[in-house]
Amino acid sequence: MNKAGEPLYSRVLSRLKTVLPENSQISSTLIVSGSDQYPIQHLVLGKGNSQRALISAGIHGDEPAGVEALLTFLEKKFFQKYIDDWELNIIPCINPSGYNASTRENADKIDLNRKFRDTSPPQEVVFIKSLFKRAFDLDIELHEDIDSPGYYLFQKEAEPISPLGRNILNEVSKIMPINLEEEIEELPAENGLLAHLSNPDEMEWWPMAIYAFSKGCKKVFTLETATKLPMDMRVRAHLKAIEVALDNF
């Protein structure tokens, strides 16, 4: 709940209603989580353009900076310079029930980002998977890490790995520190970049990023800001990462 007692996700929906650009397309898909229904919002800007990006946040409900970054991206009209070339598919919050409760899992205590290989996944995951009927060129997923001292990212694409992930980190480093640990999430990291990821066929479960890659997405980025740092800094870091990715694809 916010200070006025309004559910946090209701506030997200209210802000979206006030910022929807002209010529945008928005769809709302009702999902059941726990004992309640929630509308997941899918906004499309520049519909029909040849380059397609999916930008999402809030798959973990206790990671609010990504949600705030996408609302800011819309409110400040940062999208405008891209919609002549890109079709931007924006999902500000994948996990509304978790966002309301500030929990990683949804109301059914399911970590949605572990269910993309399941044959009968939760409704939130079914909805996301339905968007991949046509492949995206770029998938950007906004996350946070409560234990990290700084920003880092996962980069998944067909070999050879492009310099785009490193370019993102170089620019983000002007806003917040980069996580320089040699191992992050039990994987080798190079100055905040994790690109040597497992073969999807070898993985027991898939996060959304691996599903996107399996469906033909050319470049997939999971962006992790540091929860312990100020919200404004986290939002600016995510916005800079989105900008660099779209400008340098």
Side-chain angles (χ1 to χ4, degrees), residues 10-234:
S10 293
R11 179 59 178 156
V12 171
L13 297 177
S14 296
R15 288 173 68 181
L16 280 174
K17 287 179 181 179
T18 66
V19 299
L20 292 181
E22 293 183 7
N23 301 320
S24 63
Q25 175 180 308
I26 188 165
S27 60
S28 183
T29 299
L30 278 177
I31 59 96
V32 176
S33 186
S35 59
D36 295 311
Q37 284 188 331
Y38 301 88
I40 298 181
Q41 305 291 291
H42 172 212
L43 178 65
V44 182
L45 303 168
K47 184 173 177 59
N49 287 331
S50 58
Q51 292 191 117
R52 302 181 74 234
L54 177 61
I55 310 175
S56 64
I59 197 168
H60 292 141
D62 59 351
E63 299 176 5
V67 178
E68 185 63 33
L70 289 185
L71 290 172
T72 302
F73 185 77
L74 295 168
E75 289 169 341
K76 296 193 174 181
K77 302 187 184 303
F78 292 148
F79 58 84
Q80 284 188 326
K81 71 174 183 174
Y82 301 112
I83 56 176
D84 287 338
D85 301 307
W86 283 94
E87 179 185 289
L88 301 178
N89 291 259
I90 298 173
I91 307 174
C93 187
I94 295 174
N95 180 7
S97 63
Y99 187 76
N100 271 346
S102 297
T103 57
R104 179 182 178 91
E105 300 82 9
N106 70 359
D108 296 312
K109 304 188 183 304
I110 297 172
D111 185 335
L112 301 176
N113 210 32
R114 298 293 183 270
K115 296 298 181 181
F116 279 82
R117 201 174 190 180
D118 286 20
T119 55
S120 297
Q123 290 184 16
E124 298 95 332
V125 174
V126 171
F127 165 67
I128 296 298
K129 292 173 77 170
S130 73
L131 302 180
F132 286 89
K133 293 176 182 177
R134 179 182 165 201
F136 291 97
D137 298 290
L138 176 63
D139 175 46
I140 299 174
E141 302 173 22
L142 306 183
H143 283 259
E144 301 200 56
D145 187 335
I146 194 170
D147 299 314
S148 180
Y151 206 91
Y152 66 94
L153 64 83
F154 298 87
Q155 179 173 351
K156 186 68 174 175
E157 62 181 300
E159 299 288 350
I161 298 297
S162 72
L164 184 51
R166 180 58 58 201
N167 293 342
I168 291 172
L169 290 167
N170 287 342
E171 291 301 314
V172 168
S173 70
K174 300 172 185 177
I175 297 171
M176 73 158 47
I178 301 300
N179 184 335
L180 300 178
E181 296 170 353
E182 294 183 358
E183 187 176 276
I184 301 174
E185 295 293 322
E186 301 182 350
L187 294 170
E190 299 176 6
N191 298 321
L193 178 64
L194 294 88
H196 303 292
L197 305 178
S198 300
N199 185 318
D201 293 335
E202 299 172 354
M203 299 177 65
E204 181 180 353
W205 53 266
W206 284 0
M208 179 177 164
I210 296 300
Y211 182 78
F213 179 74
S214 78
K215 300 303 287 186
C217 190
K218 296 175 183 177
K219 289 182 172 61
V220 180
F221 292 97
T222 304
L223 306 176
E224 300 273 0
T225 190
T227 310
K228 63 181 64 178
L229 297 174
M231 174 64 85
D232 176 68
M233 182 185 293
R234 286 143 56 197

